[in-house]
Amino acid sequence: MILGIGTDLANIDRIAGTLERFGDRFRNRVFTEVEQRKADRRRDVAGTYAKRWAAKEACSKALGTGLRMGIAWKDMAVSNLHTGQPVMEVTGWAKERLDAMTPEGHEAIIHVTLTDDHPWAQAFVVIEARRVG
């Protein structure tokens, strides 16, 4: 069953300007070390950050809260499987919210997809509850 759906569209040029203006202060407030390492290895650094920004926004919407109620940016983190597929991990209050919205006898699975076409980066998140056992 679907527990939540979220999407977000981010402007890559706006993220590039924010990176230029605030640098590490912005990166360290919003992105985990893993996300930063991934972005900094890419040719399109701003595009990579913009996709992850959009994914965090989309995830917060799928959790039904948006970025309020105690969810921190770093409570949602995007990494990639060895195949390149993006995956979302939640910790802190985001994990507590996910656990609270997951019905008993189910496990929550967060599906995330990312795309970009300059100047836009987009993310789509679906939270699924799958019966255990």
Side-chain angles (χ1 to χ4, degrees):
M1 91 180 69
I2 303 299
L3 298 178
I5 300 171
T7 188
D8 192 67
L9 186 66
N11 185 288
I12 295 169
D13 293 333
R14 184 174 71 87
I15 297 296
T18 302
L19 286 164
E20 198 172 295
R21 183 171 177 201
F22 296 104
D24 285 343
R25 193 169 124 209
F26 171 65
R27 277 189 285 274
N28 293 332
R29 185 171 137 279
V30 176
F31 302 100
T32 65
E33 288 181 25
V34 170
E35 290 172 315
Q36 290 180 48
R37 282 195 306 270
K38 171 79 171 183
D40 293 341
R41 285 193 314 260
R42 302 297 298 268
R43 186 178 39 159
D44 182 11
V45 172
T48 302
Y49 278 119
K51 285 185 281 190
R52 278 148 178 77
W53 171 279
K56 291 168 186 269
E57 287 274 8
C59 185
S60 71
K61 293 170 186 174
L63 289 168
T65 64
L67 283 162
R68 58 181 173 83
M69 296 178 61
I71 292 180
W73 286 102
K74 288 184 175 181
D75 285 350
M76 301 164 288
V78 178
S79 61
N80 296 84
L81 300 177
H82 71 280
T83 60
Q85 176 185 346
V87 292
M88 176 72 69
E89 179 185 355
V90 293
T91 57
W93 199 91
K95 174 72 168 126
E96 290 175 23
R97 171 70 181 148
L98 180 64
D99 291 345
M101 64 192 283
T102 304
E104 192 172 318
H106 290 74
E107 65 177 337
I109 297 150
I110 302 174
H111 304 277
V112 60
T113 186
L114 309 172
T115 190
D116 65 294
D117 187 5
H118 196 87
W120 301 108
Q122 184 177 31
F124 192 74
V125 171
V126 174
I127 301 175
E128 171 191 9
R130 199 175 286 166
R131 186 166 291 285
V132 177

